[in-house]
Amino acid sequence: MGAVNLDDVVVTPLKQIHTEGGDVMHGIKSFDESYAGFGEAYFSWIKAGSIKGWKRHNQMTMNLIVPVGRVGFVFYMSDTTQFRTEEIGVDCYARITVPPGVWFAFKGIYEQESLILNIANIPHDPLEVERINLSDIHYDWD
């Protein structure tokens, strides 16, 4: 893993195709610039007002999509005091690509539960991820 900074977090608007029977929502294609390979895909629910994090992957590249609800993501580099925030969801449909080495946490900001899809380049490995308490990185969530 080389030097990484918050500018390496990429937000890609995604296409939604509206059809009479229900919309089609794109996720990622193998030829997308931010595609880093496939290891696994998993879904995670977050309740309204709940916060999950902080964690940092040391090898995994994440591709985060919110097809249901809306989620606020906060990204942080331990060698700076700067934060980067992004909100995505069904009304602001996009994919956030997060390279290894970036601390992140997220909050459910929809009135109901929100669903997050992570399309990761490697399978989950509990030994490659670091986790710390929310209070260890001082961020104002209000």
Side-chain angles (χ1 to χ4, degrees), residues 40 57-60 122-131:
E40 73 174 357
H57 288 279
N58 294 304
Q59 298 172 3
M60 180 185 286
I122 62 171
H124 175 74
D125 177 356
L127 299 178
E128 73 83 39
V129 64
E130 299 174 61
R131 297 175 192 273

PDB file of all heavy atoms in Angstrom, residues 40 57-60 122-131:
ATOM      1  N   GLU A  40     -15.575 -10.250  -2.672  1.00  0.00           N
ATOM      2  CA  GLU A  40     -16.888 -10.570  -2.136  1.00  0.00           C
ATOM      3  C   GLU A  40     -17.783  -9.345  -2.199  1.00  0.00           C
ATOM      4  O   GLU A  40     -17.312  -8.221  -2.351  1.00  0.00           O
ATOM      5  CB  GLU A  40     -16.810 -11.077  -0.688  1.00  0.00           C
ATOM      6  CG  GLU A  40     -16.506 -10.012   0.332  1.00  0.00           C
ATOM      7  CD  GLU A  40     -16.585 -10.525   1.771  1.00  0.00           C
ATOM      8  OE1 GLU A  40     -16.938 -11.695   1.995  1.00  0.00           O
ATOM      9  OE2 GLU A  40     -16.297  -9.727   2.669  1.00  0.00           O
ATOM     10  N   HIS A  57      -9.262  -0.479   6.534  1.00  0.00           N
ATOM     11  CA  HIS A  57      -8.774  -1.690   5.885  1.00  0.00           C
ATOM     12  C   HIS A  57      -7.348  -1.442   5.407  1.00  0.00           C
ATOM     13  O   HIS A  57      -7.023  -0.360   4.904  1.00  0.00           O
ATOM     14  CB  HIS A  57      -9.672  -2.069   4.702  1.00  0.00           C
ATOM     15  CG  HIS A  57     -10.997  -2.596   5.141  1.00  0.00           C
ATOM     16  ND1 HIS A  57     -11.176  -3.896   5.553  1.00  0.00           N
ATOM     17  CD2 HIS A  57     -12.207  -2.003   5.261  1.00  0.00           C
ATOM     18  CE1 HIS A  57     -12.432  -4.087   5.898  1.00  0.00           C
ATOM     19  NE2 HIS A  57     -13.097  -2.940   5.735  1.00  0.00           N
ATOM     20  N   ASN A  58      -6.509  -2.453   5.548  1.00  0.00           N
ATOM     21  CA  ASN A  58      -5.106  -2.330   5.137  1.00  0.00           C
ATOM     22  C   ASN A  58      -4.835  -2.942   3.769  1.00  0.00           C
ATOM     23  O   ASN A  58      -3.797  -2.674   3.181  1.00  0.00           O
ATOM     24  CB  ASN A  58      -4.206  -2.957   6.202  1.00  0.00           C
ATOM     25  CG  ASN A  58      -4.271  -2.174   7.495  1.00  0.00           C
ATOM     26  OD1 ASN A  58      -4.023  -0.979   7.517  1.00  0.00           O
ATOM     27  ND2 ASN A  58      -4.650  -2.843   8.575  1.00  0.00           N
ATOM     28  N   GLN A  59      -5.776  -3.747   3.252  1.00  0.00           N
ATOM     29  CA  GLN A  59      -5.614  -4.359   1.937  1.00  0.00           C
ATOM     30  C   GLN A  59      -6.857  -4.205   1.067  1.00  0.00           C
ATOM     31  O   GLN A  59      -6.751  -4.194  -0.151  1.00  0.00           O
ATOM     32  CB  GLN A  59      -5.286  -5.853   2.081  1.00  0.00           C
ATOM     33  CG  GLN A  59      -3.999  -6.122   2.808  1.00  0.00           C
ATOM     34  CD  GLN A  59      -3.815  -7.600   3.103  1.00  0.00           C
ATOM     35  OE1 GLN A  59      -4.623  -8.443   2.725  1.00  0.00           O
ATOM     36  NE2 GLN A  59      -2.742  -7.930   3.795  1.00  0.00           N
ATOM     37  N   MET A  60      -8.020  -4.106   1.688  1.00  0.00           N
ATOM     38  CA  MET A  60      -9.281  -4.105   0.947  1.00  0.00           C
ATOM     39  C   MET A  60      -9.589  -2.755   0.319  1.00  0.00           C
ATOM     40  O   MET A  60      -9.496  -1.723   0.976  1.00  0.00           O
ATOM     41  CB  MET A  60     -10.437  -4.481   1.879  1.00  0.00           C
ATOM     42  CG  MET A  60     -11.803  -4.517   1.190  1.00  0.00           C
ATOM     43  SD  MET A  60     -13.172  -4.815   2.352  1.00  0.00           S
ATOM     44  CE  MET A  60     -12.924  -6.564   2.688  1.00  0.00           C
ATOM     45  N   ILE A 122     -11.291  -8.087  -2.128  1.00  0.00           N
ATOM     46  CA  ILE A 122     -10.817  -9.304  -1.462  1.00  0.00           C
ATOM     47  C   ILE A 122     -11.903  -9.779  -0.504  1.00  0.00           C
ATOM     48  O   ILE A 122     -12.724  -8.981  -0.053  1.00  0.00           O
ATOM     49  CB  ILE A 122      -9.489  -9.082  -0.690  1.00  0.00           C
ATOM     50  CG1 ILE A 122      -9.684  -8.044   0.425  1.00  0.00           C
ATOM     51  CG2 ILE A 122      -8.359  -8.693  -1.636  1.00  0.00           C
ATOM     52  CD1 ILE A 122      -8.502  -7.906   1.372  1.00  0.00           C
ATOM     53  N   PRO A 123     -11.916 -11.062  -0.161  1.00  0.00           N
ATOM     54  CA  PRO A 123     -12.856 -11.528   0.858  1.00  0.00           C
ATOM     55  C   PRO A 123     -12.520 -10.911   2.215  1.00  0.00           C
ATOM     56  O   PRO A 123     -11.362 -10.583   2.495  1.00  0.00           O
ATOM     57  CB  PRO A 123     -12.633 -13.046   0.895  1.00  0.00           C
ATOM     58  CG  PRO A 123     -11.967 -13.378  -0.394  1.00  0.00           C
ATOM     59  CD  PRO A 123     -11.163 -12.163  -0.773  1.00  0.00           C
ATOM     60  N   HIS A 124     -13.538 -10.768   3.059  1.00  0.00           N
ATOM     61  CA  HIS A 124     -13.327 -10.216   4.397  1.00  0.00           C
ATOM     62  C   HIS A 124     -12.303 -11.041   5.163  1.00  0.00           C
ATOM     63  O   HIS A 124     -12.342 -12.271   5.154  1.00  0.00           O
ATOM     64  CB  HIS A 124     -14.642 -10.182   5.172  1.00  0.00           C
ATOM     65  CG  HIS A 124     -14.462  -9.730   6.584  1.00  0.00           C
ATOM     66  ND1 HIS A 124     -14.225  -8.409   6.899  1.00  0.00           N
ATOM     67  CD2 HIS A 124     -14.449 -10.410   7.744  1.00  0.00           C
ATOM     68  CE1 HIS A 124     -14.086  -8.299   8.209  1.00  0.00           C
ATOM     69  NE2 HIS A 124     -14.225  -9.508   8.740  1.00  0.00           N
ATOM     70  N   ASP A 125     -11.368 -10.366   5.805  1.00  0.00           N
ATOM     71  CA  ASP A 125     -10.345 -10.993   6.634  1.00  0.00           C
ATOM     72  C   ASP A 125     -10.217 -10.153   7.895  1.00  0.00           C
ATOM     73  O   ASP A 125      -9.757  -9.011   7.826  1.00  0.00           O
ATOM     74  CB  ASP A 125      -9.018 -11.039   5.878  1.00  0.00           C
ATOM     75  CG  ASP A 125      -7.875 -11.608   6.704  1.00  0.00           C
ATOM     76  OD1 ASP A 125      -8.068 -11.910   7.899  1.00  0.00           O
ATOM     77  OD2 ASP A 125      -6.768 -11.736   6.153  1.00  0.00           O
ATOM     78  N   PRO A 126     -10.636 -10.667   9.042  1.00  0.00           N
ATOM     79  CA  PRO A 126     -10.591  -9.863  10.262  1.00  0.00           C
ATOM     80  C   PRO A 126      -9.190  -9.427  10.657  1.00  0.00           C
ATOM     81  O   PRO A 126      -9.029  -8.496  11.446  1.00  0.00           O
ATOM     82  CB  PRO A 126     -11.208 -10.783  11.327  1.00  0.00           C
ATOM     83  CG  PRO A 126     -11.146 -12.149  10.773  1.00  0.00           C
ATOM     84  CD  PRO A 126     -11.146 -12.015   9.276  1.00  0.00           C
ATOM     85  N   LEU A 127      -8.159 -10.044  10.089  1.00  0.00           N
ATOM     86  CA  LEU A 127      -6.790  -9.672  10.425  1.00  0.00           C
ATOM     87  C   LEU A 127      -6.275  -8.477   9.617  1.00  0.00           C
ATOM     88  O   LEU A 127      -5.241  -7.908   9.947  1.00  0.00           O
ATOM     89  CB  LEU A 127      -5.860 -10.873  10.230  1.00  0.00           C
ATOM     90  CG  LEU A 127      -6.188 -12.094  11.101  1.00  0.00           C
ATOM     91  CD1 LEU A 127      -5.234 -13.232  10.782  1.00  0.00           C
ATOM     92  CD2 LEU A 127      -6.143 -11.723  12.579  1.00  0.00           C
ATOM     93  N   GLU A 128      -6.988  -8.092   8.545  1.00  0.00           N
ATOM     94  CA  GLU A 128      -6.500  -6.976   7.727  1.00  0.00           C
ATOM     95  C   GLU A 128      -7.218  -5.663   8.029  1.00  0.00           C
ATOM     96  O   GLU A 128      -6.916  -4.643   7.436  1.00  0.00           O
ATOM     97  CB  GLU A 128      -6.552  -7.303   6.229  1.00  0.00           C
ATOM     98  CG  GLU A 128      -7.909  -7.331   5.586  1.00  0.00           C
ATOM     99  CD  GLU A 128      -8.450  -5.978   5.159  1.00  0.00           C
ATOM    100  OE1 GLU A 128      -7.724  -5.101   4.657  1.00  0.00           O
ATOM    101  OE2 GLU A 128      -9.653  -5.791   5.345  1.00  0.00           O
ATOM    102  N   VAL A 129      -8.163  -5.677   8.960  1.00  0.00           N
ATOM    103  CA  VAL A 129      -8.921  -4.479   9.291  1.00  0.00           C
ATOM    104  C   VAL A 129      -8.593  -4.043  10.719  1.00  0.00           C
ATOM    105  O   VAL A 129      -8.399  -4.868  11.604  1.00  0.00           O
ATOM    106  CB  VAL A 129     -10.445  -4.702   9.113  1.00  0.00           C
ATOM    107  CG1 VAL A 129     -10.975  -5.743  10.070  1.00  0.00           C
ATOM    108  CG2 VAL A 129     -11.206  -3.408   9.241  1.00  0.00           C
ATOM    109  N   GLU A 130      -8.487  -2.735  10.906  1.00  0.00           N
ATOM    110  CA  GLU A 130      -8.286  -2.159  12.237  1.00  0.00           C
ATOM    111  C   GLU A 130      -9.566  -1.463  12.647  1.00  0.00           C
ATOM    112  O   GLU A 130     -10.221  -0.827  11.818  1.00  0.00           O
ATOM    113  CB  GLU A 130      -7.150  -1.126  12.212  1.00  0.00           C
ATOM    114  CG  GLU A 130      -5.812  -1.688  11.815  1.00  0.00           C
ATOM    115  CD  GLU A 130      -4.779  -0.581  11.682  1.00  0.00           C
ATOM    116  OE1 GLU A 130      -4.506   0.102  12.688  1.00  0.00           O
ATOM    117  OE2 GLU A 130      -4.287  -0.391  10.555  1.00  0.00           O
ATOM    118  N   ARG A 131      -9.912  -1.552  13.923  1.00  0.00           N
ATOM    119  CA  ARG A 131     -11.105  -0.897  14.456  1.00  0.00           C
ATOM    120  C   ARG A 131     -10.731  -0.133  15.715  1.00  0.00           C
ATOM    121  O   ARG A 131      -9.925  -0.615  16.517  1.00  0.00           O
ATOM    122  CB  ARG A 131     -12.187  -1.918  14.804  1.00  0.00           C
ATOM    123  CG  ARG A 131     -12.693  -2.700  13.617  1.00  0.00           C
ATOM    124  CD  ARG A 131     -13.680  -3.781  14.073  1.00  0.00           C
ATOM    125  NE  ARG A 131     -13.959  -4.723  13.021  1.00  0.00           N
ATOM    126  CZ  ARG A 131     -14.897  -4.573  12.095  1.00  0.00           C
ATOM    127  NH1 ARG A 131     -15.643  -3.496  12.089  1.00  0.00           N
ATOM    128  NH2 ARG A 131     -15.091  -5.501  11.174  1.00  0.00           N
TER     129      ARG A 131
END
